[in-house]
Amino acid sequence: MTATLNDVTARKNRPEPSAEEQARQAREQGLSLTGPDGLLKQLTKTVLETALNEELTEHLGYEKNDPAGAGTGNVRNGSRAKTVLTEHSGQVQIDVPRDRAGSFEPQIVRKRQRRLGGVDEVVLSLYAKGLTTGEISAHFAEIYGASVSKETISRITDKVIEELNDWAVRPLDAVYAAVFIDAIVVKVRDGQVANRPFYAAIGVTLDGDRDILGLWAGTGGEGAKFWMSVLTDLRNRGVRDVFFVVCDGLKGLPEVVGNVWPQTIVQTCIIHYSEVAVMPMPRRERVRLRRSGLALSA
């Protein structure tokens, strides 16, 4: 999505919501990565469904839409909806694939299983840049345990990574009203268990839509070099301007923002999600919005 001069004019003439209304919308919509309303939920759904479909492919012995499966005596037979409970994302509704013979026994989400543990770590590992295939596979191995072979885990890992790589490089909007930098600490398993921070850039479009723009695995104590690579990645994927970057005092980030997006305001506060909702837009930002017909165009 890109904004034209007419779009900017329409927004200028639209009555600005009150601080109370902005605060209410922030509470209702949320901007967090985890939690019942967090943006991680959709990624969790995608990972689980991709793994389940690969499990069914192995069970049947042929790929989806492969004509070779017509004479095997067992074929795919749609899916059924199921709600599972995860540690960080709360309730997640997924579609579990079925086979016509009813012999498929899913492993990552077993029949009658409702509560899942460790899935959130796998989801973050898959989507975040900076982790190796071995680290991702180790997460899957812990979830599956002895129920499937190492070869199966390797095949599922490769399939899921293949399916989700496009997400990490997809084009982004040219302009965002705000980009929030959120973080969560996750236990990463690769021979031994170690805590690692994962950083998410959560974008708010000019129409108020929310999306996770990217995920990056850190090592702790990230500075200017790390944040330069993160913001440069966003810029290379099409983000030309951001009105606000909101964070909670991440080292090195404010200095780098000015190099990537010179006119962006960095809002730093501990409770940044609630404070930015009631923070009035500075005059120079309102002027930028009114004068940015060229800057906001494609």
Side-chain angles (χ1 to χ4, degrees):
M1 181 198 74
T2 55
T4 66
L5 181 57
N6 290 335
D7 296 328
V8 175
T9 302
R11 292 189 184 95
K12 178 185 70 174
N13 296 328
R14 187 183 304 159
E16 292 187 6
S18 64
E20 290 77 10
E21 177 65 14
Q22 292 179 4
R24 182 189 66 79
Q25 292 175 358
R27 286 193 298 270
E28 289 181 353
Q29 297 178 1
L31 282 170
S32 62
L33 179 62
T34 59
D37 299 318
L39 300 181
L40 184 62
K41 181 176 294 189
Q42 182 57 45
L43 305 187
T44 301
K45 172 182 171 67
T46 301
V47 169
L48 291 176
E49 291 178 351
T50 303
L52 285 167
N53 279 296
E54 185 60 21
E55 285 186 31
L56 180 58
T57 293
E58 179 179 319
H59 174 73
L60 296 175
Y62 61 89
E63 296 286 342
K64 188 175 182 179
N65 300 323
D66 187 344
T72 62
N74 194 13
V75 296
R76 288 172 171 80
N77 189 32
S79 62
R80 61 182 178 86
K82 180 174 183 176
T83 300
V84 295
L85 183 64
T86 69
E87 181 179 357
H88 294 296
S89 300
Q91 292 185 342
V92 179
Q93 185 171 354
I94 60 175
D95 293 324
V96 180
R98 301 181 300 184
D99 64 327
R100 182 167 295 175
S103 56
F104 175 51
E105 295 284 343
Q107 297 298 312
I108 195 168
V109 182
R110 297 175 183 272
K111 291 182 178 180
R112 293 177 293 279
Q113 181 182 8
R114 296 294 177 182
R115 186 179 296 272
L116 302 179
V119 173
D120 302 286
E121 287 87 346
V122 172
V123 173
L124 287 168
S125 299
L126 284 166
Y127 280 94
K129 295 184 178 181
L131 288 191
T132 66
T133 301
E135 289 171 326
I136 296 170
S137 181
H139 281 301
F140 272 123
E142 181 170 5
I143 289 179
Y144 280 107
S147 60
V148 299
S149 66
K150 291 183 178 179
E151 292 75 14
T152 299
I153 291 174
S154 177
R155 188 160 48 249
I156 291 175
T157 299
D158 291 342
K159 183 65 175 179
V160 173
I161 291 177
E162 176 187 340
E163 292 288 331
L164 300 179
N165 270 344
D166 288 343
W167 180 88
V169 297
R170 73 197 189 283
L172 302 174
D173 289 353
V175 179
Y176 286 88
V179 171
F180 294 78
I181 304 296
D182 195 8
I184 181 174
V185 176
V186 172
K187 292 185 181 298
V188 175
R189 298 158 178 83
D190 185 17
Q192 60 182 0
V193 178
N195 289 329
R196 290 186 66 176
F198 284 73
Y199 300 96
I202 302 173
V204 180
T205 70
L206 298 179
D207 290 329
D209 298 324
R210 303 164 299 149
D211 190 18
I212 298 177
L213 308 183
L215 281 166
W216 297 266
T219 57
E222 277 70 26
K225 184 177 180 180
F226 173 81
W227 291 115
M228 178 60 78
S229 67
V230 168
L231 299 189
T232 299
D233 181 26
L234 296 179
R235 185 178 61 187
N236 290 341
R237 289 162 59 198
V239 181
R240 293 165 47 200
D241 198 8
V242 177
F243 284 98
F244 295 97
V245 170
V246 187
C247 62
D248 57 354
L250 296 171
K251 181 181 178 182
L253 178 59
E255 293 80 3
V256 172
V257 170
N259 294 327
V260 179
W261 301 304
Q263 298 187 75
T264 298
I265 289 179
V266 178
Q267 173 71 18
T268 305
C269 57
I270 296 177
I271 49 175
H272 47 284
Y273 296 128
S274 60
E275 289 189 7
V276 77
V278 298
M279 180 181 61
M281 182 175 287
R283 181 177 180 277
R284 74 179 179 90
E285 288 302 300
R286 294 199 298 270
V287 171
R288 278 184 66 203
L289 185 58
R290 287 196 296 268
R291 295 179 177 176
S292 58
L294 293 177
L296 294 177
S297 60

